[in-house]
Amino acid sequence: MSISTDRPRELARFYAELLGVEVADEEGPREGEPPEAGWAQLRPAEGRLRMTVNLEWDPSFEAPTWPSTPGTQQPQAHLDLWVDDLDQAEAWAVELGARRHGVQPQDGVRVMLDPHGHPFCFFTS
């Protein structure tokens, strides 16, 4: 999975902390790019993450609008994260820089926005 942003290494640190994994690899900007450019990668960790997440620099990044609205940047993907306790998961994410979305469509799901505006969801079984 790839997530575009204008500050990929910063957002990788957020998701690494949120998911309890480490940033496995990262690279700074190429010649002529701003200091916040580059990329980072989170890789599977025993019992923690079962996929690779790449965070990639996009010089034209605009935070997506969710729920989708015509004429605005549409979300391309979002993470659904299973948790034991929604309130505890939300508090942890907020402490790391996320915020609760104003739209909460159903019980057992908590829609959040990461520090760069990408939606992600916590859910319980």
Side-chain angles (χ1 to χ4, degrees), residues 47-94:
R48 292 280 181 185
L49 185 63
R50 301 198 189 272
M51 67 178 174
T52 299
V53 178
N54 292 310
L55 296 106
E56 300 173 349
W57 182 62
D58 180 346
S60 301
F61 173 74
E62 292 181 33
T65 300
W66 186 91
S68 298
T69 306
T72 63
Q73 178 62 39
Q74 306 295 304
Q76 300 298 308
H78 71 267
L79 297 175
D80 286 328
L81 306 169
W82 178 83
V83 297
D84 292 321
D85 184 302
L86 288 175
D87 293 331
Q88 185 178 38
E90 177 182 352
W92 175 240
V94 168

